[in-house]
Amino acid sequence: SHSSSKIYNYSHIYYPRVGNLSDLSLSNNHLSGTIPISFQKYNFSVQLLLSNNEFSGTLIDAFTISLTQTALSLSVNRLSGKLPNSFLQPYVSEVSLEVLSGNIFECNQNDLPANDPDSKSYSCGSENLNTALYSFGLLFLIIAITILVILLLYAK
């Protein structure tokens, strides 16, 4: 018996060939590590569902989305880096694509897949970092000015 909160790391397992697999659903399984390159390069003809796990790392630029694929879900993991160019191809607009939510991708708002339900509200990872840095800088400046004013007032 195992705890439902246990996290399994399968990144060390070698996936040499996926074979004739058309559909892979491993969502909600507490999987961690990186998404195997063989999964990213494989032409799943129906769907690849890996959402709600603990996958981390980046995706390859040539992440394969087939012309017949109906769904790709990678949401709510810990993926980062640039979004693969394949996610922005015109034929992908027919795919149920959920990759943004719960991940921290570097991007521009104009470079998000329009068919992802979170594309309108998604904050790119670099934007979040910039906002945090500006907020921290502003807070530091306010504290420094406050301390300076207090010192000047009590120095008299």
Side-chain angles (χ1 to χ4, degrees), residues 109 117-123:
Q109 287 301 130
D118 294 308
S119 64
K120 301 285 187 234
S121 61
Y122 185 75
S123 291

Side-chain angles (χ1 to χ4, degrees), residues 91-145:
Y91 69 89
V92 175
S93 65
E94 303 300 318
V95 177
S96 172
L97 186 68
E98 295 180 6
V99 297
L100 298 174
S101 177
N103 294 308
I104 308 171
F105 291 109
E106 299 169 15
C107 57
N108 296 318
Q109 287 301 130
N110 299 336
D111 295 335
L112 297 175
N115 54 325
D116 187 298
D118 294 308
S119 64
K120 301 285 187 234
S121 61
Y122 185 75
S123 291
C124 297
S126 57
E127 289 174 1
N128 287 338
L129 178 60
N130 289 343
T131 301
L133 289 175
Y134 292 139
S135 298
F136 178 75
L138 182 60
L139 180 64
F140 180 77
L141 182 62
I142 290 170
I143 291 171
I145 290 171

Side-chain angles (χ1 to χ4, degrees), residues 2-140:
H2 63 81
S3 166
S4 63
S5 64
K6 176 114 174 97
I7 297 174
Y8 300 97
N9 186 333
Y10 294 105
S11 62
H12 64 282
I13 297 175
Y14 178 60
Y15 298 92
R17 299 184 68 150
V18 182
N20 294 326
L21 195 60
S22 63
D23 181 23
L24 181 62
S25 179
L26 293 173
S27 295
N28 302 302
N29 277 294
H30 304 287
L31 301 174
S32 66
T34 57
I35 296 175
I37 298 293
S38 58
F39 287 5
Q40 295 185 51
K41 287 184 174 182
Y42 187 74
N43 193 353
F44 289 95
S45 60
V46 180
Q47 59 186 6
L48 174 60
L49 307 176
L50 301 175
S51 62
N52 296 298
N53 281 298
E54 302 277 333
F55 286 118
S56 60
T58 60
L59 302 174
I60 62 171
D61 195 48
F63 194 106
T64 302
I65 299 177
S66 75
L67 294 173
T68 59
Q69 192 166 345
T70 59
L72 172 63
S73 182
L74 305 175
S75 61
V76 192
N77 279 289
R78 295 177 179 167
L79 301 172
S80 59
K82 292 187 176 187
L83 279 167
N85 284 330
S86 57
F87 290 6
L88 304 174
Q89 298 304 314
Y91 69 89
V92 175
S93 65
E94 303 300 318
V95 177
S96 172
L97 186 68
E98 295 180 6
V99 297
L100 298 174
S101 177
N103 294 308
I104 308 171
F105 291 109
E106 299 169 15
C107 57
N108 296 318
Q109 287 301 130
N110 299 336
D111 295 335
L112 297 175
N115 54 325
D116 187 298
D118 294 308
S119 64
K120 301 285 187 234
S121 61
Y122 185 75
S123 291
C124 297
S126 57
E127 289 174 1
N128 287 338
L129 178 60
N130 289 343
T131 301
L133 289 175
Y134 292 139
S135 298
F136 178 75
L138 182 60
L139 180 64
F140 180 77

